[in-house]
Amino acid sequence: MKVQVCIIGGGPSGLLLSQLLHLKGIDTIVLEKSSRDHVLARIRAGVLEHGFARLMREAQCGERMDREGEIHKGFEIAHDGVLSQIDLHKHSGGNSVLVYGQTELTRDLYEARDRLDGNFVHNAEDVTPHELTSDRPYVTYRSNGETVRIDCDYIVGADGFHGVSRKSIPKNVLREYEKIYPFGWLGVLSRTKPMSPELIYVKHERGFALCSLRSQVLSRYYVQVPLTDKVEDWSDDAFWAELKRRLPEEVAGRLITGPSIEKSIAPLRSFVAEPMSYGRLFLAGDAAHIVPPTGARGLNSAASDIYYLYHAMLAHYQNDDDSGLQGYSAKALARIWKAQRFSWWMTMLLHRFPDRLEYEDRLQQTELEYLLSSETAQRLLAENYVGLPF
Ligand code: APR
Ligand code: PHB
């Protein structure tokens, strides 16, 4: 089989790119190693920057997102028993974010691909890219015991952090930058009414917490836990009790608890791989970079990769112009590093760091006091939180 673009990975990055290209008459195939049910069972973040929402609309996948997503013009920071509001709208020149679950967004993308009879393969085993530096690259995979070969012009590695694409770039070419944080987030999803219309990020001496939501009937909460904790150690009651302890009293009083419908611990990691292209392979999304979830940059960082890659492919196929493809890695990385910086900064600002100098704790406290007392600092935060332009 021959397609123009073979996309490895059917997460939001791969699906969105294939949908955008398809609408412009560029044929793609998406090879996904898991089943659709598995992909759609993953609970991920739920805050979209306006740039990502714009791409969803351009991909004709924005209808439900616009109907059911909630526009958030600000969020709150809880610290020392009080709440301080960050007015994103005011400080970013009228921008906001959209609260809409990534799981729902992925479902919308699958449905859009179905409507257009999009080419995708689930349960593709041993997906392997070949001949990346030739002008005839191809990808093989196994399905029902048979090996299938896809010839293509380009391969897009949108197969997440653990995927095969990044690993197929030679070690002497690839440079990886990584920071592992000494804690994780224990997250609970519950079918309860959110206790606050806005997200609340909590800095507390027992550790960070976050009150988030997916809709008016679905809440998402997190508490910072040591990496040694196991999810089985945390009963629902223990989780709610720990969350309440970290919230200002008045907020804790409003918390509506209920049985968890999902509970998991995620480690926090910052990671960037450079370059993001090698021969005819282009990496996008989590395959090339990971952020800690503080500040909700994960999926939003992928937005600019998809946008640049989409336009670079269009320029190639429509105008025979390869400059976008040649410049993709440098252009994508310039924005990626800014999202890295912001996620790292917000993580450092709000978490409790075990085994740290008291001096560093005082600096952290000063950073927060400065932020909350300075409109200029709040503007920097807002500009990054709603998403830097691309
Ligand atoms: N072959 C084929 N598919 C693979 C392979 C492989 N070897 N390895 C992984 N995959 C698939 C995964 O099963 C997953 O469905 O690639 C997909 C990658 O999806 P994500 O991990 O969701 O990454 P991405 O699409 O870049 O989405 C960006 O932003 O909020 C963050 O981490 C969050 O999912 C998120 C992301
Ligand atoms: C979430 O709702 O899962 C979420 C929201 C904001 C974040 C991180 C996660 O910064």
Side-chain angles (χ1 to χ4, degrees), residues 222-258:
Y222 299 94
V223 293
Q224 173 185 349
V225 293
L227 278 174
T228 44
D229 277 19
K230 299 269 169 293
V231 74
E232 309 79 71
D233 304 339
W234 282 90
S235 65
D236 286 359
D237 286 348
F239 176 84
W240 294 120
E242 185 58 36
L243 177 63
K244 274 189 181 170
R245 263 186 228 127
R246 299 184 190 188
L247 297 175
E249 235 177 84
E250 172 260 325
V251 181
R254 282 190 269 132
L255 179 67
I256 302 167
T257 63

Side-chain angles (χ1 to χ4, degrees), residues 43-47 99 185 199 201 208 210-214 220-222 292-297 346 385:
I43 306 292
R44 297 269 174 87
V47 177
V99 170
W185 279 17
L199 270 67
Y201 288 88
F208 170 83
L210 172 62
C211 307
S212 181
L213 61 145
R214 293 288 175 275
R220 181 72 166 155
Y221 295 102
Y222 299 94
T294 339
R297 293 299 85 203
M346 224 168 135
Y385 197 94

Side-chain angles (χ1 to χ4, degrees), residues 43-69:
I43 306 292
R44 297 269 174 87
V47 177
L48 303 181
E49 63 181 41
H50 56 102
F52 197 95
R54 197 179 64 223
L55 272 182
M56 285 290 286
R57 290 180 200 113
E58 191 171 341
Q60 299 177 5
C61 300
E63 208 182 295
R64 192 162 72 103
M65 174 191 80
D66 282 325
R67 204 173 51 243
E68 295 179 11

Side-chain angles (χ1 to χ4, degrees), residues 9 11-13 31-34 42 44 102 158-160 163 285-286 298-299:
S13 301
L31 305 177
E32 165 59 51
K33 78 163 185 199
S34 304
R42 291 192 295 233
R44 297 269 174 87
Q102 192 180 310
D159 47 353
D286 276 19
L299 180 58

Side-chain angles (χ1 to χ4, degrees), residues 81-106:
V82 294
L83 282 182
S84 301
Q85 214 243 358
I86 301 290
D87 189 334
L88 295 172
H89 195 253
K90 173 173 153 202
H91 293 308
S92 70
N95 280 317
S96 52
V97 290
L98 198 59
V99 170
Y100 188 63
Q102 192 180 310
T103 312
E104 297 311 307
L105 177 144
T106 310

